[in-house]
Amino acid sequence: EVQLVETGGGLIQPGGSLRLSCAASGFTVSSNYMSWVRQAPGKGLEWVSVIYSGGSTYYADSVKGRFTISRDNSKNTLYLQMNSLRAEDTAVYYCAREMGYWGQGTLVTVSS
Amino acid sequence: DVVMTQSPLSLPVTLGQPASISCRSSQSLVYSDGNTYLNWFQQRPGQSPRRLIYKVSNRDSGVPDRFSGSGSGTDFTLKISRVEAEDVGVYYCMQGTHPFTFGPGTKVDIK
């Protein structure tokens, strides 16, 4: 059974850093494309980043240069390193396997 | 950047009646491999998104056959043949060609 479990969210001050993790089971992360998608409170879905099986990565303009997507094949885990966080980064962050399987999300709140 | 628009943004429906949501992209979603990467998602209140349809018209496993997707190029439609109470939620289209963009969402509720 495919499972995705996001962790690492929390309250962080503006300008701070946070690393989100997405532990996968039931499939191999490196064999699929994996995405991060976020949803600000009461708002719609916003694609954040993707890493393809070959290692190529892409980012939304809103996070480019501040966020980094990566994976650890030995841990079968996806990551999102978030630096220079802003209030507008406040959202529930979901990881998804090829957009067909989604985790439950982890809340990131950027506030002083 | 590809911009996705949806209409309507709010859709009150009567149980048992059909419903239709339109999605348009600012450029063609036909990829170089010949596929059109247009997906539809449902998000029920308090839940994670769930993909219903991929590549325009293919239903995901476990999705009731009252849901159907159609369209081509830049114009796409999600149809629910007979709305049930469990269909309440927000529906998003998403293009997966350039690389990804979601539409603003259509809120479906019961009249």
Side-chain angles (χ1 to χ4, degrees):
Chain A
E1 180 192 4
V2 172
Q3 274 200 315
L4 296 165
V5 178
E6 301 96 334
T7 56
L11 175 63
I12 187 77
Q13 291 190 338
S17 298
L18 211 55
R19 188 178 80 158
L20 305 183
S21 300
C22 171
S25 57
F27 72 101
T28 302
V29 163
S30 60
S31 298
N32 296 260
Y33 78 80
M34 300 291 296
S35 291
W36 287 98
V37 176
R38 68 184 181 184
Q39 186 169 37
K43 303 297 185 183
L45 301 172
E46 179 188 17
W47 170 74
V48 172
S49 183
V50 64
I51 182 167
Y52 288 97
S53 56
S56 300
T57 59
Y58 297 89
Y59 300 90
D61 288 344
S62 58
V63 307
K64 202 173 293 182
R66 300 188 298 124
F67 289 12
T68 303
I69 191 171
S70 64
R71 66 191 180 208
D72 184 329
N73 297 342
S74 66
K75 295 182 178 179
N76 209 34
T77 298
L78 177 74
Y79 300 101
L80 185 68
Q81 177 66 44
M82 304 186 295
N83 299 330
S84 303
L85 282 162
R86 307 166 180 167
E88 54 265 36
D89 295 319
T90 294
V92 173
Y93 284 74
Y94 298 99
C95 66
R97 173 202 176 192
E98 302 203 352
M99 296 299 189
Y101 292 90
W102 293 61
Q104 84 290 346
T106 186
L107 175 62
V108 173
T109 303
V110 184
S111 175
S112 54
Chain B
D1 291 359
V2 178
V3 177
M4 304 296 290
T5 57
Q6 290 181 228
S7 63
L9 299 183
S10 178
L11 182 58
V13 297
T14 300
L15 291 174
Q17 293 301 303
S20 180
I21 300 170
S22 173
C23 173
R24 288 186 173 175
S25 59
S26 59
Q27 57 185 276
S28 174
L29 299 185
V30 180
Y31 192 56
S32 55
D33 62 3
N35 289 308
T36 300
Y37 294 97
L38 187 283
N39 298 341
W40 288 97
F41 295 84
Q42 174 195 63
Q43 188 174 31
R44 292 170 172 155
Q47 295 188 12
S48 299
R50 168 199 184 194
R51 192 177 65 189
L52 300 175
I53 302 285
Y54 63 96
K55 287 193 284 186
V56 181
S57 59
N58 298 275
R59 266 191 308 274
D60 273 275
S61 175
V63 174
D65 61 8
R66 64 179 180 274
F67 290 94
S68 64
S70 63
S72 63
T74 61
D75 289 298
F76 306 93
T77 302
L78 175 71
K79 291 182 178 178
I80 310 174
S81 59
R82 297 172 307 278
V83 173
E84 297 189 6
E86 66 179 18
D87 300 335
V88 166
V90 182
Y91 291 77
Y92 299 90
C93 61
M94 185 210 77
Q95 66 85 13
T97 303
H98 304 289
F100 300 95
T101 313
F102 286 92
T106 295
K107 185 174 183 180
V108 172
D109 59 14
I110 305 300
K111 282 182 184 175

